[in-house]
Amino acid sequence: MRHSKEDKAASHERIVAAAAARIRESGTEQPGVAEIMRAAGLTHGGFYKHFGSREELIVEAVQRALTDIPELTAGAEDPMAAFADAYVSAAHRDDPATGCGVVALGTDVPRVGGPAQEAYRAQVERYLARLQQLLAGDDDDVRRRAAVTLSAMVGAVMIARALGPTPRSDEILRDVREAVRERRLL
């Protein structure tokens, strides 16, 4: 049975989306091709119609995991507060499959290197640029504050995930979220 280009593109999209979710949950080493294909609702045999290797899929999935994020500040009265509330939250901690790839892949990307690492760098730069806008400026002080803010937010979510849903984890999220909301970092 022949499939149309649209069917193939839709299948490719499902594979990449499933792989991106899995690597945000368990890193780049864990998900096997069969597991990813099953999650995409496809058979293992069809994998090589879409990718030359597992590594090729992982690079594309890392790129997707880093850029497939919702707009967190649209329509907010205080965009910085809205960003902090969504990012430094128990919901983000508890659902890595749909969370930020910068948090989830920070320790994996250096091992993968190449295009995946370039995608990571590009996403960090997009976050820094957005935070500079929210902090209103482009001088050295604002760049420094944006870097500290991003580092605090990413670090808080990483540590909170490592601790699991505990009172200490909730406390770390709350304290960093409030510091970002109130622009008390630096």
Side-chain angles (χ1 to χ4, degrees), residues 35-171:
E35 175 188 351
I36 292 166
M37 293 299 282
R38 196 170 33 257
L42 299 166
T43 63
H44 181 251
F47 176 79
Y48 290 100
K49 293 176 186 170
H50 298 277
F51 302 95
S53 66
R54 179 186 178 279
E55 290 72 28
E56 186 180 313
L57 167 61
I58 293 302
V59 167
E60 193 169 334
V62 166
Q63 291 168 334
R64 172 70 57 83
L66 289 164
T67 58
D68 188 18
I69 53 174
E71 170 56 49
L72 302 176
T73 61
E77 184 175 314
D78 181 348
M80 180 65 91
F83 190 34
D85 290 346
Y87 199 95
V88 189
S89 67
H92 190 197
R93 173 196 64 203
D94 298 341
D95 191 10
T98 62
C100 175
V102 171
V103 171
L105 300 172
T107 59
D108 280 350
V109 165
R111 287 188 288 266
V112 175
Q117 195 166 32
E118 287 303 316
Y120 193 92
R121 286 183 189 123
Q123 184 57 38
V124 167
E125 290 301 326
R126 283 188 291 273
Y127 274 142
L128 290 171
R130 180 65 176 134
L131 286 168
Q132 283 179 236
Q133 285 178 330
L134 295 175
L135 293 166
D138 63 0
D139 61 12
D140 285 339
D141 182 57
V142 172
R143 280 191 287 281
R144 189 172 30 258
R145 289 175 53 217
V148 169
T149 300
L150 179 61
S151 298
M153 290 171 44
V154 169
V157 176
M158 289 176 76
I159 291 168
R161 282 186 182 165
L163 296 176
T166 63
R168 173 64 80 196
S169 173
D170 292 339
E171 179 182 296

